[in-house]
Short mmCIF file of all heavy atoms in Angstrom, two decimals:
data_model
loop_
_atom_site.label_atom_id
_atom_site.label_comp_id
_atom_site.label_asym_id
_atom_site.label_seq_id
_atom_site.Cartn_x
_atom_site.Cartn_y
_atom_site.Cartn_z
N ALA H 1 1.46 6.71 18.76
CA ALA H 1 2.57 7.44 18.15
C ALA H 1 1.93 8.48 17.20
O ALA H 1 0.76 8.37 16.77
CB ALA H 1 3.43 6.54 17.37
N ALA H 2 2.74 9.46 16.86
CA ALA H 2 2.33 10.45 15.83
C ALA H 2 2.21 9.77 14.50
O ALA H 2 2.87 8.73 14.26
CB ALA H 2 3.29 11.59 15.82
N VAL H 3 1.39 10.34 13.61
CA VAL H 3 1.22 9.75 12.29
C VAL H 3 2.57 9.62 11.56
O VAL H 3 2.85 8.62 10.95
CB VAL H 3 0.19 10.59 11.47
CG1 VAL H 3 0.12 10.10 10.04
CG2 VAL H 3 -1.21 10.50 12.12
N GLY H 4 3.41 10.66 11.65
CA GLY H 4 4.69 10.60 11.00
C GLY H 4 5.56 9.49 11.47
O GLY H 4 6.26 8.84 10.72
N GLU H 5 5.58 9.31 12.85
CA GLU H 5 6.33 8.15 13.40
C GLU H 5 5.81 6.86 12.88
O GLU H 5 6.63 5.98 12.50
CB GLU H 5 6.28 8.21 14.94
CG GLU H 5 6.94 9.35 15.55
CD GLU H 5 6.72 9.45 17.09
OE1 GLU H 5 5.57 9.13 17.55
OE2 GLU H 5 7.62 9.86 17.80
N TYR H 6 4.54 6.70 12.83
CA TYR H 6 3.90 5.45 12.36
C TYR H 6 4.28 5.21 10.90
O TYR H 6 4.62 4.11 10.50
CB TYR H 6 2.44 5.54 12.54
CG TYR H 6 1.68 4.28 12.14
CD1 TYR H 6 1.79 3.14 12.89
CD2 TYR H 6 0.88 4.26 11.07
CE1 TYR H 6 1.13 1.98 12.61
CE2 TYR H 6 0.15 3.14 10.68
CZ TYR H 6 0.28 2.04 11.45
OH TYR H 6 -0.42 0.86 11.13
N ASN H 7 4.22 6.27 10.10
CA ASN H 7 4.53 6.15 8.70
C ASN H 7 5.99 5.75 8.46
O ASN H 7 6.33 4.89 7.66
CB ASN H 7 4.22 7.42 7.93
CG ASN H 7 2.75 7.62 7.81
OD1 ASN H 7 1.95 6.73 7.99
ND2 ASN H 7 2.33 8.82 7.55
N ARG H 8 6.96 6.39 9.18
CA ARG H 8 8.37 6.05 9.12
C ARG H 8 8.61 4.64 9.59
O ARG H 8 9.41 3.90 9.00
CB ARG H 8 9.19 7.06 9.91
CG ARG H 8 9.40 8.38 9.20
CD ARG H 8 10.39 9.29 9.92
NE ARG H 8 9.95 9.66 11.23
CZ ARG H 8 9.12 10.68 11.55
NH1 ARG H 8 8.58 11.38 10.57
NH2 ARG H 8 8.82 10.91 12.80
N SER H 9 7.94 4.25 10.66
CA SER H 9 8.17 2.82 11.09
C SER H 9 7.66 1.80 10.04
O SER H 9 8.32 0.77 9.87
CB SER H 9 7.45 2.58 12.49
OG SER H 9 6.08 2.55 12.33
N THR H 10 6.61 2.13 9.37
CA THR H 10 6.13 1.22 8.32
C THR H 10 7.14 1.17 7.15
O THR H 10 7.41 0.12 6.59
CB THR H 10 4.73 1.70 7.80
OG1 THR H 10 3.83 1.74 8.89
CG2 THR H 10 4.20 0.71 6.73
N GLY H 11 7.74 2.32 6.85
CA GLY H 11 8.74 2.37 5.83
C GLY H 11 9.96 1.47 6.17
O GLY H 11 10.51 0.74 5.41
N LEU H 12 10.39 1.58 7.44
CA LEU H 12 11.53 0.75 7.93
C LEU H 12 11.15 -0.71 7.89
O LEU H 12 12.00 -1.54 7.41
CB LEU H 12 11.90 1.13 9.37
CG LEU H 12 12.99 0.31 10.03
CD1 LEU H 12 14.26 0.36 9.28
CD2 LEU H 12 13.15 0.66 11.47
N GLU H 13 9.96 -1.07 8.36
CA GLU H 13 9.53 -2.46 8.26
C GLU H 13 9.46 -2.98 6.85
O GLU H 13 9.84 -4.12 6.60
CB GLU H 13 8.17 -2.61 8.97
CG GLU H 13 8.24 -2.38 10.42
CD GLU H 13 6.84 -2.31 11.07
OE1 GLU H 13 5.81 -2.17 10.34
OE2 GLU H 13 6.76 -2.38 12.33
N ALA H 14 9.10 -2.11 5.90
CA ALA H 14 9.00 -2.55 4.51
C ALA H 14 10.42 -2.91 4.02
O ALA H 14 10.62 -3.87 3.31
CB ALA H 14 8.41 -1.45 3.66
N VAL H 15 11.43 -2.04 4.38
CA VAL H 15 12.79 -2.34 4.00
C VAL H 15 13.26 -3.64 4.55
O VAL H 15 13.85 -4.51 3.87
CB VAL H 15 13.75 -1.20 4.39
CG1 VAL H 15 15.25 -1.55 4.18
CG2 VAL H 15 13.44 0.12 3.61
N ILE H 16 12.99 -3.87 5.84
CA ILE H 16 13.48 -5.12 6.46
C ILE H 16 12.73 -6.33 5.84
O ILE H 16 13.34 -7.35 5.60
CB ILE H 16 13.19 -5.02 8.02
CG1 ILE H 16 14.10 -3.96 8.63
CG2 ILE H 16 13.44 -6.41 8.64
CD1 ILE H 16 13.80 -3.65 10.06
N GLY H 17 11.45 -6.18 5.57
CA GLY H 17 10.72 -7.24 4.92
C GLY H 17 11.26 -7.63 3.56
O GLY H 17 11.43 -8.79 3.19
N TYR H 18 11.62 -6.58 2.76
CA TYR H 18 12.20 -6.77 1.48
C TYR H 18 13.54 -7.47 1.57
O TYR H 18 13.76 -8.46 0.82
CB TYR H 18 12.36 -5.41 0.75
CG TYR H 18 13.19 -5.51 -0.50
CD1 TYR H 18 12.54 -5.89 -1.68
CD2 TYR H 18 14.51 -5.19 -0.54
CE1 TYR H 18 13.30 -5.99 -2.89
CE2 TYR H 18 15.26 -5.29 -1.67
CZ TYR H 18 14.64 -5.70 -2.87
OH TYR H 18 15.32 -5.84 -3.96
N LEU H 19 14.35 -7.01 2.45
CA LEU H 19 15.70 -7.65 2.60
C LEU H 19 15.54 -9.09 3.08
O LEU H 19 16.29 -9.97 2.60
CB LEU H 19 16.49 -6.84 3.60
CG LEU H 19 16.95 -5.46 3.17
CD1 LEU H 19 17.57 -4.67 4.28
CD2 LEU H 19 17.87 -5.51 1.92
N TYR H 20 14.62 -9.39 3.99
CA TYR H 20 14.43 -10.74 4.43
C TYR H 20 13.88 -11.65 3.29
O TYR H 20 14.46 -12.70 3.09
CB TYR H 20 13.41 -10.75 5.59
CG TYR H 20 13.05 -12.14 6.04
CD1 TYR H 20 13.94 -12.92 6.74
CD2 TYR H 20 11.87 -12.74 5.58
CE1 TYR H 20 13.66 -14.20 7.09
CE2 TYR H 20 11.58 -14.03 5.91
CZ TYR H 20 12.52 -14.77 6.67
OH TYR H 20 12.22 -16.11 6.97
N LEU H 21 12.92 -11.18 2.57
CA LEU H 21 12.36 -12.04 1.51
C LEU H 21 13.34 -12.30 0.42
O LEU H 21 13.23 -13.36 -0.27
CB LEU H 21 11.08 -11.40 0.94
CG LEU H 21 9.89 -11.40 1.88
CD1 LEU H 21 8.74 -10.56 1.30
CD2 LEU H 21 9.38 -12.82 2.17
N THR H 22 14.27 -11.40 0.18
CA THR H 22 15.26 -11.56 -0.88
C THR H 22 16.57 -12.20 -0.37
O THR H 22 17.50 -12.34 -1.09
CB THR H 22 15.59 -10.24 -1.56
OG1 THR H 22 16.05 -9.27 -0.60
CG2 THR H 22 14.37 -9.71 -2.30
N GLY H 23 16.56 -12.64 0.91
CA GLY H 23 17.67 -13.40 1.48
C GLY H 23 18.84 -12.55 1.89
O GLY H 23 19.98 -13.04 2.04
N GLN H 24 18.67 -11.25 2.02
CA GLN H 24 19.84 -10.36 2.38
C GLN H 24 20.01 -10.19 3.90
O GLN H 24 19.91 -9.12 4.42
CB GLN H 24 19.61 -9.04 1.66
CG GLN H 24 19.56 -9.12 0.13
CD GLN H 24 19.36 -7.77 -0.49
OE1 GLN H 24 20.17 -6.86 -0.30
NE2 GLN H 24 18.27 -7.61 -1.25
N TYR H 25 20.19 -11.27 4.56
CA TYR H 25 20.27 -11.32 6.02
C TYR H 25 21.49 -10.54 6.52
O TYR H 25 21.28 -9.92 7.57
CB TYR H 25 20.37 -12.77 6.53
CG TYR H 25 19.27 -13.68 6.02
CD1 TYR H 25 19.55 -14.97 5.55
CD2 TYR H 25 17.94 -13.23 5.91
CE1 TYR H 25 18.55 -15.79 5.15
CE2 TYR H 25 16.97 -14.05 5.45
CZ TYR H 25 17.25 -15.30 5.07
OH TYR H 25 16.23 -16.16 4.62
N GLN H 26 22.58 -10.61 5.85
CA GLN H 26 23.73 -9.81 6.40
C GLN H 26 23.45 -8.29 6.32
O GLN H 26 23.88 -7.54 7.21
CB GLN H 26 25.00 -10.14 5.59
CG GLN H 26 25.57 -11.51 5.90
CD GLN H 26 26.89 -11.83 5.20
OE1 GLN H 26 27.10 -11.27 4.12
NE2 GLN H 26 27.67 -12.65 5.77
N ARG H 27 22.73 -7.86 5.30
CA ARG H 27 22.38 -6.51 5.23
C ARG H 27 21.46 -6.11 6.34
O ARG H 27 21.58 -5.05 6.92
CB ARG H 27 21.74 -6.24 3.84
CG ARG H 27 21.32 -4.78 3.64
CD ARG H 27 22.52 -3.85 3.68
NE ARG H 27 22.08 -2.49 3.42
CZ ARG H 27 22.71 -1.41 3.82
NH1 ARG H 27 23.87 -1.52 4.50
NH2 ARG H 27 22.25 -0.19 3.58
N ILE H 28 20.48 -6.93 6.66
CA ILE H 28 19.56 -6.64 7.77
C ILE H 28 20.40 -6.49 9.06
O ILE H 28 20.26 -5.53 9.78
CB ILE H 28 18.55 -7.82 8.02
CG1 ILE H 28 17.59 -7.94 6.81
CG2 ILE H 28 17.76 -7.60 9.28
CD1 ILE H 28 16.75 -9.18 6.85
N ASP H 29 21.31 -7.43 9.29
CA ASP H 29 22.14 -7.44 10.43
C ASP H 29 22.98 -6.15 10.54
O ASP H 29 23.10 -5.54 11.56
CB ASP H 29 22.97 -8.69 10.49
CG ASP H 29 23.49 -9.02 11.85
OD1 ASP H 29 22.71 -8.91 12.89
OD2 ASP H 29 24.68 -9.42 12.02
N SER H 30 23.60 -5.80 9.44
CA SER H 30 24.50 -4.63 9.43
C SER H 30 23.63 -3.30 9.69
O SER H 30 24.11 -2.44 10.45
CB SER H 30 25.28 -4.51 8.17
OG SER H 30 24.44 -4.11 7.03
N LEU H 31 22.43 -3.22 9.16
CA LEU H 31 21.58 -2.05 9.43
C LEU H 31 21.15 -2.05 10.88
O LEU H 31 21.21 -1.03 11.54
CB LEU H 31 20.40 -2.07 8.47
CG LEU H 31 20.65 -1.68 7.05
CD1 LEU H 31 19.40 -1.92 6.19
CD2 LEU H 31 21.12 -0.25 6.91
N LEU H 32 20.65 -3.20 11.36
CA LEU H 32 20.07 -3.19 12.71
C LEU H 32 21.11 -3.13 13.82
O LEU H 32 20.79 -2.72 14.96
CB LEU H 32 19.16 -4.42 12.87
CG LEU H 32 17.93 -4.45 11.98
CD1 LEU H 32 17.02 -5.62 12.29
CD2 LEU H 32 17.12 -3.14 12.11
N LYS H 33 22.37 -3.45 13.49
CA LYS H 33 23.42 -3.27 14.50
C LYS H 33 23.56 -1.77 14.86
O LYS H 33 24.11 -1.46 15.89
CB LYS H 33 24.75 -3.85 14.00
CG LYS H 33 24.73 -5.37 14.18
CD LYS H 33 26.13 -5.90 13.82
CE LYS H 33 26.07 -7.41 14.07
NZ LYS H 33 27.26 -8.07 13.70
N GLU H 34 23.13 -0.93 14.00
CA GLU H 34 23.14 0.53 14.29
C GLU H 34 22.28 0.85 15.54
O GLU H 34 22.69 1.77 16.27
CB GLU H 34 22.55 1.37 13.11
CG GLU H 34 23.47 1.40 11.91
CD GLU H 34 24.78 2.11 12.22
OE1 GLU H 34 24.74 3.24 12.80
OE2 GLU H 34 25.84 1.61 11.82
#
């Protein structure tokens, strides 16, 4: 992937990791249903 794509994907993964670790499962689900 291009560097920009890789960087954005890492940003998305960081958000999902944060939400998971803090127990915000419904928020993960509502975002990923997009």
